[in-house]
Amino acid sequence: MTGLEYGVAGGGPSVSLRGSYGLFIGGSFVPGSAVFKTVSPATEEVLAEVTHAATEDVDRAVAAARQAYERVWSVLPGRERARYLLRIARLLRDRAPELAVIESLDSGKPIRQTRDVDLPLVAAHFFYHAGWADKLAYAGFGAAAAAPPNPTLPNPTLPNQALPNQALPNQALPRPLGVVGQVIGWSSPLLMLAWKIAPALACGNTVVLKPAESTPLTALAFAEICAEAGLPPGVVNIVTGDGQTGQLVAGHPGIDKVAFTGSPEVGKEIAKSAALWGKRFTLELGGTSANIVCADADIEAAARGIVEGVFIRQGHACCASSRVFVAREVHDHLVAAVRRRMAALRSGDPLDEATDIGAVNSRGQLDKITELARSAEADGAVRWSAPHEPPDRGFWFPPTMFARVSEEQRIAREELCWPVLTVSSFATPDEVVDRTNSTRYGLSAGVWTRQGALSAWLAARLRAGVVWANSFGGLDPAVPFGGFQESGFGREGGRHGLEAYLDLPGAWTPDV
Ligand code: NDP
């Protein structure tokens, strides 16, 4: 296949994709035995041919990661690892416009989302974790946190303090885990990659990552960036393929830890297999996140937050706010405000600056969405969809709201990355807490009220990993993110996220 040129409608960067991509193993692209095609969900056009990694390919990737771990990465001083991470961060920042185009093409997300939100966060994750790489021994992890202050230690915050290699007692030092197998989904492909790879490398681990079958292109572009940054071969390996390849990575005996982002069903399988083999694992799974609008809320602000929280990425986010609970007194006012905003959303070409809602990521996902929406109607929920004229080709679903939804209906219980929200009213704060917590999930929630005490009261009772007050969906590399119950466990981001990539008390001595 030959490469094709793409660009943002109305101006902006253009990119040329290679016609075909190999697997990124041991620092270069290598062929595999089979290929598959990745398509644009907005046009169904084939974007590139990508290699399907089989058992022997995953074996090679894990072996490359092991060698790089033992010979180079785990013995490299933290400050040197930081330099590589910074180089990667700068390249990501410099190539952000081009990477945003690739992400929009392959995932269907609008360019305004990929360029203005995802890509800045991707670079920020690498900058942030570069800052940690040489400070892990001072971060108060494990035994180090419990130990009394050691007057012989240098203070790394003061200038001209010598940082001797062996200054810390061995048992107090955090160590890397080894080779990490990482499997991610399609909802925010490059951002999920950054959430996984940046902390893993900062902590001294090496990586074998499998992106989703339907969105492999930005992970492959990231592989090119690793090579351009001069990252030692084998520190990052990218193997593309389907769920079987994911299983090979997650279940590989040479992997020391599995980090997974995806569906609760696959997450449970991974948890079982990792537990059986005594491997560490963290799971970032789905959710049915709620927005709670209290009677005193700024209704227009809440309507904007609700619409942006679910529709702007066509629901392709684990934390998309698919449930809205609104105080009875302001129910009609809020529904009218949300509908007005939904009706103004423009669906269409993800590369058009004016597009609010892009394409559903794959035909398979569109089928799941259509099926669940039909079952909601059959269960008695009342549907309203915004006016929508989908293009002739591609995978599209209109922004949709369901009313008269009860907690027993499938639509209220199942999680799906989709451009759909359910709205129901509540009478008291206790009731809304019970109903919000009545799912198997617990990823995130939004609370809309002018009373600080009420938002604090609600936040303390909601079983959600993140609770936003008078806003929804803001992310920051320094703030840990993760869920309760079937939304997974373990945290990504911040100091908590580093713990997932470290063996805390141990014998490894970093040369800081
Ligand atoms: P899946 O669980 O189907 O897939 C996630 C990844 O796992 C993909 O790379 C997939 O490959 C791979 N995979 C599939 N089966 C297996 C298996 N048996 N063993 C190992 N790996 C496997 O989820 P989706 O891709 O459908 O992603 C959507 C889900 O992800 C939603 O539930 C969403 O809520 C959640 N999500 C969670 C986030 C969070 O941070 N909590 C962030 C974003 C999404 P393939 O692509 O070929 O299927």
Side-chain angles (χ1 to χ4, degrees):
M1 288 178 72
T2 54
L4 293 168
E5 286 263 328
Y6 299 90
V8 177
S14 65
V15 299
S16 25
L17 295 175
R18 299 187 198 185
S20 63
Y21 291 83
L23 305 166
F24 188 69
I25 296 177
S28 48
F29 284 98
V30 297
S33 48
V35 293
F36 63 97
K37 293 179 169 58
T38 184
V39 301
S40 151
T43 61
E44 298 177 59
E45 173 194 18
V46 173
L47 297 172
E49 242 171 31
V50 179
T51 303
H52 182 278
T55 309
E56 58 278 13
D57 302 314
V58 175
D59 286 345
R60 271 196 294 164
V62 174
R66 175 65 56 195
Q67 198 175 59
Y69 174 74
E70 282 170 4
R71 298 200 183 156
V72 186
W73 202 245
S74 65
V75 289
L76 206 60
R79 61 175 181 271
E80 294 300 323
R81 294 199 306 277
R83 290 172 68 169
Y84 284 110
L85 286 167
L86 283 174
R87 236 179 264 164
I88 291 171
R90 284 190 206 107
L91 287 166
L92 284 165
R93 189 188 54 196
D94 295 349
R95 287 180 60 178
E98 172 206 336
L99 291 165
V101 172
I102 299 175
E103 192 80 310
S104 286
L105 276 172
D106 208 19
S107 71
K109 279 172 121 177
I111 189 75
R112 289 209 319 266
Q113 177 70 27
T114 56
R115 184 196 57 201
D116 301 345
V117 181
D118 291 8
L119 261 299
L121 275 171
V122 167
H125 271 270
F126 280 89
F127 280 118
Y128 174 79
H129 285 97
W132 271 117
D134 60 353
K135 299 172 193 72
L136 298 170
Y138 303 95
F141 289 120
N150 182 341
T152 64
L153 291 185
N155 180 346
T157 62
L158 298 177
N160 306 322
Q161 293 262 316
L163 299 176
N165 294 344
Q166 306 295 332
L168 293 172
N170 250 357
Q171 69 279 11
L173 293 169
R175 323 178 321 152
L177 295 170
V179 177
V180 182
Q182 304 182 323
V183 179
I184 56 175
W186 43 261
S187 61
S188 298
L190 195 57
L191 187 56
M192 290 304 105
L193 175 149
W195 282 24
K196 299 265 177 297
I197 292 186
L201 298 195
C203 292
N205 304 281
T206 58
V207 165
V208 177
L209 178 134
K210 188 202 94 71
E213 184 182 2
S214 57
T215 51
L217 293 182
T218 42
L220 293 161
F222 179 80
E224 291 170 352
I225 285 176
C226 289
E228 202 180 331
L231 193 69
V235 172
V236 168
N237 305 273
I238 307 285
V239 290
T240 42
D242 61 10
Q244 251 181 338
T245 306
Q247 234 171 345
L248 290 169
V249 171
H252 199 285
I255 295 278
D256 299 297
K257 178 217 159 88
V258 187
F260 175 75
T261 295
S263 62
E265 294 68 37
V266 176
K268 282 182 214 168
E269 275 180 47
I270 288 178
K272 271 190 235 161
S273 128
L276 198 64
W277 298 105
K279 287 179 192 164
R280 294 268 296 265
F281 60 96
T282 39
L283 305 173
E284 294 287 350
L285 309 177
T288 50
S289 300
N291 260 307
I292 297 172
V293 184
C294 300
D296 68 329
D298 176 339
I299 296 296
E300 282 305 323
R304 192 181 61 238
I306 288 164
V307 167
E308 289 182 356
V310 64
F311 294 121
I312 294 304
R313 292 165 279 193
Q314 65 275 354
H316 287 8
C318 51
C319 58
S321 58
S322 55
R323 295 184 298 158
V324 173
F325 295 106
V326 52
R328 251 182 223 162
E329 305 90 299
V330 291
H331 174 272
D332 294 353
H333 185 178
L334 180 87
V335 168
V338 170
R339 273 194 185 206
R340 201 173 57 246
R341 287 177 181 273
M342 285 171 67
L345 295 172
R346 258 185 74 164
S347 306
D349 180 2
L351 291 185
D352 188 331
E353 297 260 10
T355 294
D356 298 304
I357 303 211
V360 170
N361 180 248
S362 65
R363 185 176 294 285
Q365 184 65 11
L366 179 59
D367 291 344
K368 283 191 207 169
I369 291 173
T370 310
E371 191 278 322
L372 191 54
R374 283 203 187 115
S375 103
E377 285 180 279
D379 286 345
V382 178
R383 170 175 174 164
W384 180 80
S385 291
H388 179 242
E389 285 177 25
D392 296 338
R393 305 199 55 174
F395 316 128
W396 305 94
F397 196 85
T400 295
M401 181 197 286
F402 279 98
R404 292 221 199 114
V405 175
S406 64
E407 269 75 63
E408 301 76 48
Q409 291 171 9
R410 267 185 69 202
I411 189 177
R413 286 185 286 112
E414 291 185 15
E415 72 92 28
L416 197 56
C417 284
W418 64 341
V420 173
L421 58 82
T422 64
V423 183
S424 58
S425 59
F426 68 88
T428 65
D430 283 318
E431 177 200 337
V432 80
V433 167
D434 286 349
R435 290 174 60 195
T436 305
N437 288 345
S438 70
T439 75
R440 310 194 300 267
Y441 307 102
L443 194 55
S444 60
V447 172
W448 299 83
T449 171
R450 289 187 166 98
Q451 301 171 61
L454 180 57
S455 58
W457 186 91
L458 287 165
R461 284 158 183 80
L462 295 174
R463 288 189 58 74
V466 181
V467 179
W468 289 284
N470 297 319
S471 67
F472 194 90
L475 299 170
D476 188 301
V479 178
F481 184 91
F484 284 104
Q485 306 187 109
E486 291 194 25
S487 290
F489 64 88
R491 294 291 179 264
E492 291 189 319
R495 183 181 165 283
H496 294 76
L498 295 166
E499 284 182 27
Y501 288 98
L502 290 170
D503 192 4
L504 294 173
W508 178 71
T509 308
D511 174 359
V512 290

